Amino acid sequence: MQDSRNSTSVPLADLAASLPASVKIALFPAQSVPDAQILVVTLARPHKRNALDDITVLGLAAVFEALPSAVRAVVLESEGEHFSAGLDLSELNELDIGAGIAHSRLWHRIFENIQFGQVPVIAVLKGAVIGGGLELACATHIRVAETTAYYALPEGQRGIFVGGGGSVRLPRLIGVSRMADMMLTGRSHDAEAGQAMGISHYLVDAGKGRDKALELAGKVCANAPMTNFAVMHALPRIAESDPATGYLTESLMAAIAQGDVEAKRRIRDFLAKRTPKVKEPD
Ligand code: 1HE
């Protein structure tokens, strides 16, 4: 599949230099695929528990708009003990109603660009995953939680409402009723509960999240790019469609994917016993 990103995309060093101090990036080779790379994006505002101020959110936007073309997966992690304490509340007091709408719509655009961007994103969750931090996590494709992670939506206590797409994405993971309980009571769920209710896909020991995310990113990089595209862009739209539209869209996507030369090569390799079989669960 032809990558729509410009092969002369911004060099990593230039991109890194343009970012605020609260967003860091580093490239790692994907062991599974020659020339493929994994971009690790780090929220780096630990003194403020990685609260998301405008500068940080715009820094994330800049990264996801200018991914180097060799990048096939992103790992989103954080410095310090917490993933993110959510919206930087110190910036909220300055917003009137119009500015509040614009602010929320800005988050929507940026998080949409993560969810429906170029490559799958794997988040490493630990400590506080609160409010807008949880909304950011929900915009990623795979969530690895360390056992220290906990989840809360204290918007009710702060007199506000979610504004980063949380009311659209989180109910699709845990249901409207659980989200309503979190917002009305301000309760926190621990990492085990978050895993059981579907916030995280993987639960690992403290300090092991990054390694697990890099391992998963390696698997993502090894997929046919067309399949990754279909999973990111077609699957969620199909799941939201009426069934008749969904079945048709699925057929079209399936035909496009299987028609790609990469699919033909992979199926030939399987039939010639040159690729591993599916493994039973560990
Ligand atoms: C912050 C923020 C923040 C910490 N905005 N500055 N989010 C919340 O309501 C969560 C608020 N934060 C907390 O409950 C706690 O900070 C934590 C449980 C996450 C961590 O506690 P702790 O004891 O480790 O840290 P701390 O001492 O509370 O915070 C350290 C510093 O970070 C301190 O600043 P300092 O200048 O006094 O050192 C805190 O003020 C600062 N800090 N969290 C601003 N959130 C798109 S709509 C989304 C709506 C939401 O996200 S609502 C949820 C907001």
Side-chain angles (χ1 to χ4, degrees):
M1 183 189 170
Q2 190 75 32
D3 195 318
S4 64
R5 281 169 287 172
N6 192 338
S7 58
T8 57
S9 56
V10 186
L12 187 80
D14 293 353
L15 178 59
S18 72
L19 296 174
S22 55
V23 178
K24 294 181 181 166
I25 54 174
L27 275 179
F28 287 77
Q31 305 297 347
S32 48
V33 188
D35 301 331
Q37 292 182 311
I38 300 164
L39 187 72
V40 175
V41 181
T42 308
L43 297 172
R45 230 188 149 212
H47 56 291
K48 294 288 182 186
R49 307 307 183 251
N50 295 315
L52 298 169
D53 59 352
D54 284 351
I55 288 176
T56 303
V57 173
L58 289 169
L60 287 176
V63 171
F64 283 93
E65 272 162 20
L67 288 181
S69 51
V71 169
R72 295 268 200 97
V74 169
V75 169
L76 175 63
E77 54 147 32
S78 55
E79 277 184 9
E81 293 173 13
H82 304 280
F83 178 69
S84 172
L87 173 70
D88 188 315
L89 294 167
S90 68
E91 292 187 341
L92 205 60
N93 280 339
E94 293 155 27
L95 301 183
D96 62 18
I97 289 177
I101 292 172
H103 183 263
S104 168
R105 298 299 287 155
L106 175 75
W107 279 47
H108 287 168
R109 281 198 299 281
I110 294 171
F111 288 9
E112 183 94 351
N113 209 13
I114 294 174
Q115 182 179 4
F116 295 110
Q118 304 278 358
V119 298
V121 182
I122 302 165
V124 181
L125 308 179
K126 60 184 175 179
V129 186
I130 295 178
L134 180 53
E135 294 183 273
L136 172 59
C138 289
T140 66
H141 304 93
I142 301 177
R143 288 166 292 279
V144 176
E146 298 190 359
T147 46
T148 59
Y150 60 96
Y151 310 97
L153 294 171
E155 280 83 350
Q157 291 145 291
R158 309 278 177 255
I160 56 176
F161 191 65
V162 286
S167 56
V168 173
R169 294 192 183 94
L170 189 58
R172 285 166 168 76
L173 301 182
I174 68 172
V176 173
S177 139
R178 281 206 189 93
M179 179 166 174
D181 173 41
M182 287 175 77
M183 292 194 72
L184 291 173
T185 66
R187 77 187 286 183
S188 293
H189 288 293
D190 66 17
E192 284 77 15
Q195 174 77 8
M197 70 176 74
I199 295 177
S200 59
H201 300 81
Y202 298 85
L203 183 58
V204 297
D205 289 340
K208 302 285 186 206
R210 178 188 232 253
D211 286 350
K212 183 68 185 176
L214 285 169
E215 175 202 324
L216 297 170
K219 293 178 196 276
V220 166
C221 290
N223 292 337
M226 182 66 83
T227 305
N228 285 347
F229 170 83
V231 171
M232 286 178 67
H233 292 269
L235 174 61
R237 266 88 180 215
I238 292 169
E240 297 294 331
S241 304
D242 66 279
T245 309
Y247 290 132
L248 176 64
T249 312
E250 180 187 87
S251 297
L252 299 176
M253 190 67 248
I256 291 169
Q258 67 85 35
D260 197 64
V261 285
E262 181 67 14
K264 303 293 178 212
R265 184 185 67 73
R266 285 168 181 251
I267 290 166
R268 265 197 317 275
D269 283 351
F270 174 76
L271 295 174
K273 305 194 186 305
R274 288 194 292 263
T275 50
K277 295 182 189 180
V278 174
K279 288 190 197 130
E280 289 185 22
D282 295 332

